[in-house]
């Protein structure tokens, strides 16, 4: 199988690159390195089974040039993981998020049509559920994006399903819940909790816990997510949406107790759910996928690699207050 992985130099994408190469696939990594990092995949620099294409997927003409006219050979499967993440910058730069998460998706869907791929797998986000009314949350729950990141990831998913319907493109959308694991450090923006806490631990600073820390998240380990991507690609199932979670939901207080260290509390913010928890009965029934890595094991795994967060930005209550101003003013 020859697969294309957009965002292949990023967090989840690079783990999927590892898995696909391990399984004997040829891999075309597509990444503009805006938040992805070459060091995530540089162990493969001499591997002839991997091709790296640096292109911005929102640039239609360059996509056609580099991924259609210049790229040799067939493509069997496309995994679309490239996206801009994080809440705050999406509130500040909604148009950039629209280009990177919606227009780029349409451009890659057109590439998929050109190659007549046997599967297009889209990385969607659990943020589409907003403040879920019911947990565990099923795929049929109300859609209610709270900020531009959530909206644009959901619009991307709608385009994917629309191409499935109109052009009979074999598509699957996977709604990921709070993915964590090695390499999760991202853009330097204030973002996902693991990067923030791990850097604070490295520097001996207190963990900045939001609210009372009793809120829970469905933390899902990244290798489990890579596995479900590949399983979705190989399956005969098309035109379906699946929630991808760990099977549990864990409080921030529990996370800080596992990481070990001092805690300081910062204000609860608007638009943040008290609990995210995926109902994964559909994906276990239809795709036969089960998460393998327990939360505690996953946390141990990131602690083993904690040095890799050394270069991450260090946040404290003051810089977080500054960085989340637009969050409080727009979402309250
Ligand atoms: N969180 C926290 N301190 C931080 C950043 C995040 O306690 O400095 C909490 C946040 O309130 C949320 C959880 O960690 O309950 C996960 O946050 P993240 O931004 O990673 O994911 P999301 O809230 O989008 O699910």
């Amino acid at each position: 199988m020859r697969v294309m992985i957009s965002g292949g130099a990023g967090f989840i994408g690079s783990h999927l690159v590892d898995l696909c190469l391990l399984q004997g696939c040829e891999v075309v990594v597509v990444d503009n390195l805006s938040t992805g990092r070459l060091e995530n995949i540089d162990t493969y620099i001499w591997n002839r089974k991997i091709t790296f294409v640096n292109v911005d997927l929102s640039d239609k003409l360059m996509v056609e040039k580099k991924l259609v006219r210049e790229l040799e050979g067939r493509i069997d499967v496309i995994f679309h993981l490239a996206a801009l993440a994080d809440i705050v910058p999406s509130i500040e730069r909604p148009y950039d998020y629209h280009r990177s998460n919606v227009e780029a998706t349409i451009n890659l869907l057109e590439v998929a049509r050109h190659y007549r791929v046997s599967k297009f797998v889209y990385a969607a986000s659990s943020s589409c559920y907003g403040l879920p009314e019911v947990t565990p949350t099923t795929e049929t729950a109300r859609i209610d994006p709270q900020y531009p990141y959530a909206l644009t990831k959901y619009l991307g998913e709608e385009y994917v399903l629309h191409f499935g319907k109109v052009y009979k493109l074999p598509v699957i959308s996977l709604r990921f819940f709070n993915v964590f694991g090695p390499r999760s450090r991202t853009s330097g923006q204030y973002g996902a909790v693991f990067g923030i806490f791990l850097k604070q631990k490295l520097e001996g600073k207190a963990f900045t816990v939001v609210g009372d820390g009793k809120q829970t998240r469905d933390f899902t380990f990244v290798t489990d997510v890579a596995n479900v991507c590949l399983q979705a690609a190989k399956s005969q199932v098309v035109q379906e949406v699946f929630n991808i979670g760990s099977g549990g939901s864990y409080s921030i207080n529990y996370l800080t107790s596992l990481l070990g260290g001092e805690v300081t509390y910062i204000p609860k913010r608007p638009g943040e759910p008290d609990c995210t928890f995926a109902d994964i009965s559909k994906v276990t029934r239809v795709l036969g996928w089960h998460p393998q890595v327990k939360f505690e094991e996953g946390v141990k795994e990131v602690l083993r690699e904690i040095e890799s967060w050394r270069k991450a930005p260090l946040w404290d209550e003051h810089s977080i207050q500054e960085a989340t101003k637009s969050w409080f003013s727009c979402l309250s």
Side-chain angles (χ1 to χ4, degrees):
M1 207 158 66
R2 188 166 189 241
V3 305
M4 180 180 280
I5 304 177
S6 80
F11 166 41
I12 304 174
S14 64
H15 285 274
L16 185 58
V17 169
D18 292 342
L19 180 65
C20 288
L21 289 172
L22 199 70
Q23 300 273 317
C25 301
E26 274 183 55
V27 177
V28 178
V29 170
V30 180
D31 206 300
N32 68 351
L33 301 179
S34 69
T35 54
R37 285 172 292 145
L38 269 186
E39 64 192 77
N40 286 339
I41 50 170
D42 64 7
T43 47
Y44 303 121
I45 198 157
W46 301 114
N47 189 330
R48 286 195 303 179
K49 286 196 149 184
I50 185 167
T51 309
F52 178 74
V53 183
N54 186 333
V55 66
D56 178 350
L57 285 170
S58 65
D59 184 339
K60 187 171 187 291
L61 292 179
M62 286 306 280
V63 168
E64 276 168 12
K65 180 169 157 17
K66 290 201 174 180
L67 297 186
V68 173
R69 293 206 298 275
E70 286 179 4
L71 193 69
E72 283 168 12
R74 62 179 211 284
I75 297 290
D76 302 306
V77 169
I78 294 183
F79 298 98
H80 181 30
L81 294 117
L84 282 182
D86 301 326
I87 298 172
V88 177
S90 85
I91 294 170
E92 288 164 358
R93 299 186 282 119
Y95 182 65
D96 289 349
Y97 276 71
H98 184 83
R99 272 181 60 100
S100 296
N101 296 353
V102 185
E103 292 179 18
T105 299
I106 304 172
N107 292 338
L108 199 59
L109 285 165
E110 291 288 30
V111 173
R113 283 213 301 147
H114 169 85
Y115 285 105
R116 298 174 199 277
V117 297
S118 62
K119 193 62 62 73
F120 185 98
V121 180
Y122 177 70
S125 166
S126 62
S127 59
C128 64
Y129 299 119
L131 308 174
E133 285 156 1
V134 180
T135 50
T137 306
T138 64
E139 291 81 356
T140 54
R142 190 162 69 94
I143 299 298
D144 187 20
Q146 301 288 311
Y147 36 81
Y149 166 74
L151 174 67
T152 55
K153 287 301 290 179
Y154 182 68
L155 292 176
E157 178 182 278
E158 287 282 286
Y159 265 107
V160 168
L161 295 173
H162 198 68
F163 270 61
K165 193 167 86 175
V166 175
Y167 306 108
K168 311 292 174 279
L169 196 68
V171 301
I172 283 190
S173 180
L174 305 174
R175 292 180 182 161
F176 300 151
F177 281 64
N178 295 80
V179 185
F180 77 106
R183 308 176 200 153
S184 72
R185 182 163 65 83
T186 51
S187 55
Q189 303 276 356
Y190 182 64
V193 67
F194 266 87
I196 295 160
F197 282 3
L198 289 166
K199 174 68 176 175
Q200 288 168 341
K201 183 174 170 71
L202 268 175
E203 303 299 331
K205 304 287 189 211
F207 300 126
T208 49
V209 171
V210 168
D212 59 9
K214 288 186 183 157
Q215 70 273 32
T216 65
R217 288 293 179 273
D218 189 339
F219 289 114
T220 311
F221 198 65
V222 64
T223 52
D224 279 330
V225 171
N227 280 327
V228 77
C229 289
L230 196 56
Q231 232 163 301
K234 289 178 174 170
S235 80
Q236 299 299 313
V237 178
V238 298
Q239 198 67 14
E240 292 286 350
V241 174
F242 296 100
N243 282 345
I244 306 302
S246 67
S249 189
Y250 308 90
S251 75
I252 300 308
N253 290 334
Y254 184 49
L255 172 59
T256 55
S257 75
L258 291 175
L259 293 175
E262 296 284 300
V263 166
T264 180
Y265 293 93
I266 61 175
K268 189 173 158 56
R269 42 223 182 186
E272 269 202 341
D274 290 332
C275 171
T276 69
F277 190 178
D279 183 323
I280 54 171
S281 48
K282 182 176 174 190
V283 67
T284 56
R285 187 180 73 247
V286 179
L287 292 184
W289 169 84
H290 299 268
Q292 303 292 323
V293 181
K294 285 210 176 73
F295 179 55
E296 295 78 2
E297 285 169 32
V299 172
K300 273 193 198 143
E301 185 79 31
V302 289
L303 281 174
R304 271 194 286 276
E305 312 246 335
I306 192 164
E307 267 307 315
S308 66
W309 276 271
R310 185 68 71 183
K311 284 191 250 158
L314 177 64
W315 295 94
D316 63 18
E317 53 255 72
H318 306 294
S319 55
I320 292 174
Q321 190 187 10
E322 194 57 33
T324 54
K325 267 187 181 154
S326 52
W327 184 339
F328 278 91
S329 64
C330 292
L331 300 188
S332 51

